[in-house]
Amino acid sequence: MTADAARPFSWRSVILPAYLPTLLFSVGEGAMIPVIPVVATERGASLALAGLIAAMLMVGQLLGDLPAGWLVARIGERTAMIGASAVASAGTLLALLVPTERALGVGVFLLGLATAVFGLARHAFLTSHVPARVRARALSTLAGVFRAGWAVGPFTAAAIIAWTGSAAAVFWVLVISCAAVVVVLLVLPDPETAFGGADRPQPNPAHGVRHAIVTYREVLARIGTGVGILTALRASRTVILPLWAVSIGMRPDAAALVIGIAATIDFALFYVSGHVMDRHGRLWSAIPGLVGLSIGHLVLAFTHDLPTAVAWFTGVAILLGVANGLSSGVVLTVGADLAPKEHPAPFLGAYRTLADAGQAAAPLAIAAVTSALSIMAASAAMGVVGLAGAAMLWRWIPRYVPRRPRHPEPDEGERDEGWTPASDT
């Protein structure tokens, strides 16, 4: 039974069970992530080792996506989130109480695993229980909640460091946030039961992650690759901008202000993105986002040595913020559109692995090209790759994610059965 058949959809019915735990978890993660390199260097790690320890978060998330699909399908979203919070707390306490570089690396890796499970559980829940007519707005809001937590977290970390004088003390924020997540999930009614999840078919090994990869291999290769390029451009933006500011000799406080303004614009557009996708289709978010990110990278590549480089940097940073904001939630929404309705978690695990692979590969590619050629060449290369990704999504999204009626009748089934493997002939 789907959510549509069980009860009418209400935004109030998903705010607490879907968004509040996400906000709490992301605030803790947003506070911890910026201080990981600082804590690593305080413990004697070199800059290279500190960077490797920080990268363990993405390694854990990337390796955790596929197992997360199996786990969420087997034990349910609520239990998976509680388990993920426990693992994140355990990893953080290990990193906090054992003051070595190795313990810190293991703890950050465990946090990455927990992040994969937590994110997939929310994605699967909204995929299963939110009607198709508001799916993009619901998932864009989920993306906005994550971004809000990551924005609040660093300010919380700064306040704690100013108060205690210890960067490691910030780790307690994540421990407390995870404890709050568990309390919220235990106190609130199980959202899966409230939305008719008790009637969902039991997990079948034949519908596991391996089956999803084999059955949906073509759509994963086509749309998954395009989505991976989008996440790569997003990750590139967060790496390129600080490096570019240093390269052109911009004052750190001025660069931070510009990047902060761009991030604020990015966050402000998350609901606009969802509304556009629900009303006009997924391409109207994916293509402007990718093209805008690509143009921004290309413009940077040709303005580095100009006398007005700082002005160009400011304009491009804002352009990248707008482009990223306009594509907010599109990765989650397209994944939900493509996922099988009865057992979405295994497919979403494979889909999110491709998205996270792009996100993980971008910083490595930028570092390699910058080392071999220049930062301008790295920015130009990412811009060209982004345009290729836009062409892929322009070609394949209309095939696998067909447009829905703009105003469905109230008594129509709101869940679209979507694409099935049999249609890909």
Side-chain angles (χ1 to χ4, degrees), residues 105 267 334:
F267 169 72
V334 171

Side-chain angles (χ1 to χ4, degrees), residues 292-367:
L293 289 168
S294 301
I295 291 175
H297 280 78
L298 290 171
V299 170
L300 277 183
F302 292 100
T303 58
H304 182 276
D305 298 324
L306 296 180
T308 54
V310 171
W312 279 105
F313 172 84
T314 302
V316 168
I318 292 174
L319 171 62
L320 294 176
V322 171
N324 202 53
L326 289 176
S327 64
S328 177
V330 70
V331 174
L332 299 176
T333 303
V334 171
D337 289 336
L338 297 172
K341 304 307 179 257
E342 297 296 341
H343 300 284
F347 172 86
L348 291 176
Y351 175 84
R352 291 169 68 96
T353 297
L354 293 172
D356 286 341
Q359 186 174 340
L364 299 176
I366 290 170

